[in-house]
Amino acid sequence: RLPAGQQQDRLAALASHIIGQRSYYPLYPPPPGTCLDLSASSQLALPVTPHVLITPSDIAPFAKALPSNPPGSLAPAAAGSDAAATVAVNPGRLVRGSAGGTFAHVSLHAGEGPAASRLRVELRRI
């Protein structure tokens, strides 16, 4: 729970769960009774923290800088890691029924420093 008067960025929190759980499967471990073949579960592992995480979905398109060590993360916090380590991008759907949707135009500029500070994401509607 959050303190009174403080709002949670739910879209960023959803993307942070993928990073924190270190798995592409959105709910790991899966609930009992879930029909899931775990024989290839090693292929669902997220072995490193990505600089950019693209997760298309039907929720509102967004681009958010995530904290380097999200709450509930299984990864240890790096010393002095206040900067965003991952930029989560949900481009939305390119087509919504018979109408146009949205897409993301992502540019990463060369240089030193964290990728999040050199990244530009434009969400465009067609």
Side-chain angles (χ1 to χ4, degrees):
R1 300 192 63 115
L2 294 173
Q6 189 176 7
Q7 290 185 335
Q8 179 184 17
D9 186 350
R10 296 188 72 177
L11 299 177
L14 289 171
S16 291
H17 289 307
I18 295 172
I19 303 297
Q21 293 177 10
R22 316 270 317 151
S23 174
Y24 288 110
Y25 187 71
L27 182 61
Y28 190 82
T34 301
C35 185
L36 178 66
D37 180 9
L38 293 176
S39 64
S41 63
S42 63
Q43 295 176 356
L44 297 174
L46 185 61
V48 297
T49 302
H51 295 292
V52 180
L53 178 67
I54 300 175
T55 57
S57 73
D58 289 331
I59 61 176
F62 68 87
K64 304 269 183 187
L66 303 178
S68 59
N69 194 28
S73 175
L74 299 177
S81 60
D82 291 337
T86 302
V87 175
V89 179
N90 171 20
R93 297 286 182 202
L94 189 59
V95 177
R96 292 185 180 266
S98 61
T102 56
F103 69 97
H105 182 259
V106 180
S107 302
L108 179 63
H109 302 283
E112 297 292 321
S117 66
R118 299 180 287 119
L119 192 71
R120 178 178 172 90
V121 179
E122 296 176 34
L123 298 170
R124 298 182 179 174
R125 187 171 302 280
I126 58 171

